[in-house]
Amino acid sequence: MALSRLSSRSNIITRPFSAAFSRLISTDTTPITIETSLPFTAHLCDPPSRSVESSSQELLDFFRTMALMRRMEIAADSLYKAKLIRGFCHLYDGQEAVAIGMEAAITKKDAIITAYRDHCIFLGRGGSLHEVFSELMGRQAGCSKGKGGSMHFYKKESSFYGGHGIVGAQVPLGCGIAFAQKYNKEEAVTFALYGDGAANQGQLFEALNISALWDLPAILVCENNHYGMGTAEWRAAKSPSYYKRGDYVPGLKVDGMDAFAVKQACKFAKQHALEKGPIILEMDTYRYHGHSMSDPGSTYRTRDEISGVRQERDPIERIKKLVLSHDLATEKELKDMEKEIRKEVDDAIAKAKDCPMPEPSELFTNVYVKGFGTEVLH
């Protein structure tokens, strides 16, 4: 039974474990081999193995962190509807496997830059719930001091460079970070994430071209959730095989609802990028919410389609089945963990609500380099 193998080790994502999770961490270090749900489809490269090495601790950590991400995004939905979050808000529920699988394959020396659906990427990089909800509600304790909001999360000390609102603009910036990594001989890579809606941007191809010319350690990750705002991929792209879009650059199509497939692909891509230069990963994923909170998400797709993906491909349910089949926890233990996660999220929200708003003088900071431009005198 699971309870015969329990101890209280700490989380690899540097977050304090709840009591339920601490009880479940196993002392059994025997490797677990998991086969990916689907084979990889490759362009100009040999695909990686479908057999992925894992452990009981990683499986449980995947379940807990993805459940935390899901609960955080559902709570953000409620806060937005209560008008405690203003402006734009793009939620990530359904796509959690991309964030957690990518993080499991890399280190904090490796950089990540993404678009505006960034809350869960920030959490995966080691950010806290308190920072998330404080930023969403415009409070001083937020990761961007309450001035960035939903679309502009950052964590520079963990090599997370945002959080960008201009469609596709983060890709050239990511390639620039990869240039710096190569120039400084850091032996690290950059993951530049973008959606299928950004995949037709000219700047993406310009950045990819120079990255290929200079063999930069850049990994372009297309999170293909099949709808660019309300436009289906087939209506926007003559060739929706985004992993082939690099032409002369290798690519890999990945089941983005399978955290272990994402982990294996990112591990493969990192090694490739360090040795040979850029590569494209297309993550076949799905978002349950609309494009943003202003989009109900049901006018351009059916409710049956959404519920069908939930039933057949949900990334958290997939991990849950693995946890149960390897006898790492019982249904009740996982439900207890989910209850503690709900309380953790509620506590973080309450704490964020008590935080003050930024001072009016903050309007003029972080605009120019310090010592230049406008300054406020008290």
Side-chain angles (χ1 to χ4, degrees):
M1 289 294 292
L3 288 173
S4 66
R5 303 191 299 270
L6 309 180
S7 76
S8 55
R9 294 172 60 188
S10 60
N11 191 350
I12 59 170
I13 299 189
T14 65
R15 187 172 296 109
F17 283 154
S18 63
F21 190 74
S22 295
R23 288 196 305 274
L24 290 173
I25 293 297
S26 174
T27 55
D28 185 359
T29 57
T30 306
I32 297 173
T33 302
I34 294 166
E35 186 162 296
T36 62
S37 53
L38 295 169
F40 299 100
T41 308
H43 169 66
L44 297 182
C45 63
D46 294 323
S49 169
R50 291 181 64 185
S51 297
V52 188
E53 289 289 304
S54 186
S55 65
S56 55
Q57 179 172 341
E58 184 175 66
L59 265 170
L60 287 164
D61 182 76
F62 275 19
F63 177 81
R64 187 189 189 281
T65 306
M66 291 166 74
L68 188 69
M69 290 174 174
R70 179 73 57 88
R71 185 63 205 165
M72 177 184 77
E73 294 294 68
I74 291 169
D77 172 290
S78 299
L79 290 169
Y80 193 92
K81 288 170 180 172
K83 297 186 177 180
L84 290 168
I85 298 173
R86 310 304 290 259
F88 294 103
C89 185
H90 305 78
L91 302 179
Y92 203 71
D93 49 319
Q95 299 184 206
E96 298 93 348
V98 177
I100 194 73
M102 177 173 58
E103 202 62 60
I106 62 177
T107 73
K108 295 298 189 291
K109 278 183 63 181
D110 299 307
I112 300 176
I113 188 168
T114 189
Y116 35 74
R117 206 178 300 278
D118 58 356
H119 312 158
C120 292
I121 304 292
F122 173 79
L123 201 70
R125 291 264 88 181
S128 70
L129 287 173
H130 179 52
E131 290 173 298
V132 168
F133 289 115
S134 295
E135 190 60 42
L136 287 173
M137 291 189 278
R139 312 297 171 128
Q140 282 183 12
C143 59
S144 299
K145 299 182 180 180
K147 300 192 293 180
S150 170
M151 299 199 293
H152 302 292
F153 280 38
Y154 297 91
K155 193 171 177 63
K156 186 180 177 183
E157 64 272 24
S158 295
S159 307
F160 178 51
Y161 294 97
H164 292 266
I166 305 300
V167 174
Q170 72 278 8
V171 177
L173 295 176
C175 293
I177 296 168
F179 174 81
Q181 288 169 327
K182 182 168 184 175
Y183 185 85
N184 292 323
K185 299 180 172 58
E186 293 177 9
E187 289 299 306
V189 301
T190 295
F191 288 79
L193 281 62
Y194 59 99
D196 50 290
N200 298 315
Q201 285 275 323
Q203 58 187 325
L204 189 151
F205 295 96
E206 292 177 13
L208 185 62
N209 178 63
I210 201 163
S211 296
L213 280 170
W214 293 346
D215 296 327
L216 300 183
I219 299 164
L220 273 62
V221 182
C222 178
E223 293 186 280
N224 181 10
N225 59 30
H226 303 284
Y227 295 96
M229 298 187 71
T231 305
E233 58 179 348
W234 60 268
R235 294 180 61 205
K238 183 65 178 174
S239 171
S241 296
Y242 299 107
Y243 70 103
K244 293 181 180 178
R245 286 287 197 89
D247 185 17
Y248 43 82
V249 172
L252 204 62
K253 185 173 183 179
V254 185
D255 181 359
M257 305 294 270
D258 179 350
F260 287 102
V262 175
K263 174 187 171 183
Q264 188 80 330
C266 290
K267 182 180 176 183
F268 172 86
K270 178 177 177 177
Q271 184 177 350
H272 179 281
L274 288 172
E275 294 174 358
K276 301 176 183 178
I279 184 171
I280 295 174
L281 300 179
E282 178 188 343
M283 302 294 179
D284 180 3
T285 186
Y286 198 83
R287 56 168 162 79
Y288 295 147
H289 266 84
H291 170 74
S292 70
M293 285 301 297
S294 61
D295 167 23
S298 56
T299 56
Y300 48 85
R301 56 183 182 174
T302 65
R303 295 192 183 279
D304 286 345
E305 177 185 309
I306 301 167
S307 62
V309 174
R310 281 186 182 274
Q311 290 169 16
E312 296 172 20
R313 299 184 65 210
D314 186 80
I316 300 176
E317 284 300 311
R318 181 170 283 164
I319 297 297
K320 182 178 179 180
K321 287 175 183 175
L322 286 168
V323 168
L324 295 172
S325 66
H326 285 87
D327 193 28
L328 302 177
T330 64
E331 285 265 13
K332 183 181 182 304
E333 287 166 337
L334 294 181
K335 283 190 182 300
D336 287 344
M337 191 188 299
E338 288 173 332
K339 286 179 185 175
E340 292 193 0
I341 285 168
R342 184 186 292 261
K343 183 178 185 305
E344 189 179 338
V345 168
D346 290 345
D347 289 347
I349 292 170
K351 187 179 176 184
K353 285 179 178 178
D354 287 339
C355 286
M357 297 287 185
E359 294 293 332
S361 60
E362 280 289 326
L363 279 170
F364 300 96
T365 62
N366 309 118
V367 178
Y368 296 98
V369 175
K370 191 167 183 178
F372 295 86
T374 306
E375 294 203 16
V376 178
L377 300 176
H378 297 283

